[in-house]
């Protein structure tokens, strides 16, 4: 599956953004989808994930209450709505497709990333 993230941009602190990730292929609904981010000079970190049906979601503590992950399997798209953005949310955001395995969730496919910049 190929993933294409979009929706990043420059936003002021306290603002909102919705990221989208469009997937190619007919197997989108068979994957758990996740969002990750990588800030300059830092390691990539988990942001949120959503189950194959969309019925289950999980968030990093840093994003709880400020992010909502959703998906539309008919459109092969996963979304990340972020509100109350902070300068420390500045990062390249990546979407990924994967599944749960013995060692936990593993993501096999990654999008190219979309840059989110939050100004203070």
């Amino acid at each position: 599956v190929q993933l294409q993230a979009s929706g990043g941009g420059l936003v002021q602190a306290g603002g909102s953004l919705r990221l989208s990730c469009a997937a190619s292929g007919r197997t989108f609904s068979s994957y758990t989808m996740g969002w990750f981010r990588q800030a300059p000079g830092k390691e990539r970190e988990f942001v949120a994930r959503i189950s194959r049906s969309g019925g289950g979601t999980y968030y990093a503590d840093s994003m709880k209450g400020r992010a909502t992950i959703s998906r539309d399997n008919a459109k092969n798209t996963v979304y990340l709505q972020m509100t109350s953005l902070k300068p420390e949310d500045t990062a390249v955001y990546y979407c990924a497709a994967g599944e749960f395995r013995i060692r936990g969730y593993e993501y096999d496919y990654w999008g190219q990333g979309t840059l989110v910049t939050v100004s203070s």
Side-chain angles (χ1 to χ4, degrees):
V1 62
Q2 292 184 323
L3 305 174
Q4 180 77 34
S6 62
L10 175 64
V11 63
Q12 289 188 332
S16 301
L17 273 179
R18 188 176 83 153
L19 307 182
S20 299
C21 175
S24 64
R26 294 179 290 179
T27 59
F28 176 74
S29 60
S30 66
Y31 293 101
T32 291
M33 297 300 296
W35 283 97
F36 294 77
R37 68 185 183 185
Q38 187 166 19
K42 295 187 177 181
E43 293 186 353
R44 186 172 60 197
E45 65 176 5
F46 168 80
V47 175
R49 69 170 177 261
I50 187 166
S51 65
R52 291 173 293 179
S53 68
T57 57
Y58 185 78
Y59 299 90
D61 288 344
S62 61
M63 297 304 291
K64 284 181 181 176
R66 301 192 299 121
T68 302
I69 187 171
S70 61
R71 67 189 296 165
D72 185 336
N73 286 342
K75 295 182 178 180
N76 283 7
T77 303
V78 62
Y79 306 96
L80 183 69
Q81 176 73 49
M82 299 185 290
T83 61
S84 301
L85 284 163
K86 306 173 183 179
E88 51 264 44
D89 294 320
T90 295
V92 177
Y93 284 71
Y94 299 90
C95 57
E99 61 184 2
F100 184 80
R101 299 188 178 123
I102 293 176
R103 293 179 297 176
Y105 285 95
E106 296 183 358
Y107 295 88
D108 302 308
Y109 304 97
W110 294 82
Q112 87 291 356
T114 185
L115 176 63
V116 172
T117 303
V118 183
S119 63
S120 58

